[in-house]
């Protein structure tokens, strides 16, 4: 695929447990979704920890996974390399980057993966129908998005869906209030379990990056 001169790429490499590496293109210009955020690395590596394996098999094998706010797509791509059938989603303007990154890593994918437009709060999520898992990394960061984001989660999940959410705690400006408001609204509809840091990947963990599992009540 020819690369437009207006948006040069720089790469992020993430080594997988099996020694292979994900290669993720990031854009030098564009909005926040154009680069890989630390929370995305932390959750990607968390998905490879022992607690996701049963009898040597990854629990994502043949399971349906939807990622929201995928940005570069790294988290969904990791899930697809672990055997899941994944839909990565984001705004229209991220679709080209998502498609390029899927293409870049297709030799590692053992499940399947496709990219779709999903804007939070727009009633399109039901088309993605009750996946086994929903993944989200660093999606809690601006006030106007909180209610639409939670609406989308409510619409997307079924009674058995497990949401795995990772975010970086930011202490500047109104970030603490945004994070607090998110969990306040969320807890009205979802049960939330915080994953202790000892269960995160030993190398890719940080005191200010949190992981939660959540289920619709
Ligand atoms: C901070 S970035 C995180 C990207 C990626 N998950 C990561 O951690 O590297 C937040 C992502 O949420 C997406 N996003 C923001 N508002 C959105 C909305 N209203 N609907 C859908 N996606 C949205 C952005 O486009 C961006 O890709």
């Amino acid at each position: 695929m020819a690369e437009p001169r207006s948006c040069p790429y720089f790469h992020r490499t993430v080594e997988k447990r099996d020694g292979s590496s994900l290669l993720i293109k990031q854009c030098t210009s564009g909005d926040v979704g154009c680069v890989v955020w630390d929370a995305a690395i932390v959750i990607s590596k968390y998905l490879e920890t022992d607690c996701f394996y049963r009898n040597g098999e990854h629990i994502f094998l043949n399971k349906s996974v939807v990622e929201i706010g995928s940005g570069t797509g790294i988290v969904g791509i990791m899930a697809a390399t672990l055997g899941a059938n994944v839909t990565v989603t984001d705004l229209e303007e991220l679709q080209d980057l998502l498609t390029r990154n899927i293409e870049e890593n297709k030799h590692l994918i053992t499940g399947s993966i496709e990219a779709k437009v999903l804007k939070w709060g727009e009633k399109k999520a039901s088309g993605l129908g009750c996946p086994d898992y929903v993944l989200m990394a660093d999606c809690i960061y601006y006030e106007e998005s909180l209610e639409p984001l939670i609406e989308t989660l409510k619409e997307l999940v079924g009674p058995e869906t497990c949401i795995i959410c990772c975010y970086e705690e930011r202490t500047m400006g109104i970030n603490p209030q945004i994070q607090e408001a998110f969990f306040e609204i969320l807890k009205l509809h979802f049960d939330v379990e915080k994953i202790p840091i000892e269960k995160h990947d030993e190398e890719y963990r940080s005191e200010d990056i949190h992981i939660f599992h959540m289920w619709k009540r």
Side-chain angles (χ1 to χ4, degrees), residues 175-187:
N175 282 304
Q177 288 100 298
I178 290 172
Q179 288 151 20
E180 198 179 315
F182 175 79
F183 284 102
E184 223 166 74
I185 312 169
L186 189 86
K187 283 177 180 170

Side-chain angles (χ1 to χ4, degrees), residues 33 35-37 40 69-71 90-91 94 118-120 137-138 141-142:
V35 292
V36 174
W37 290 80
S70 300
D90 209 301
L91 302 171
L94 271 307
L118 176 61
K119 184 172 180 183
W120 306 331
D138 223 344
Y141 65 103
Y142 70 106

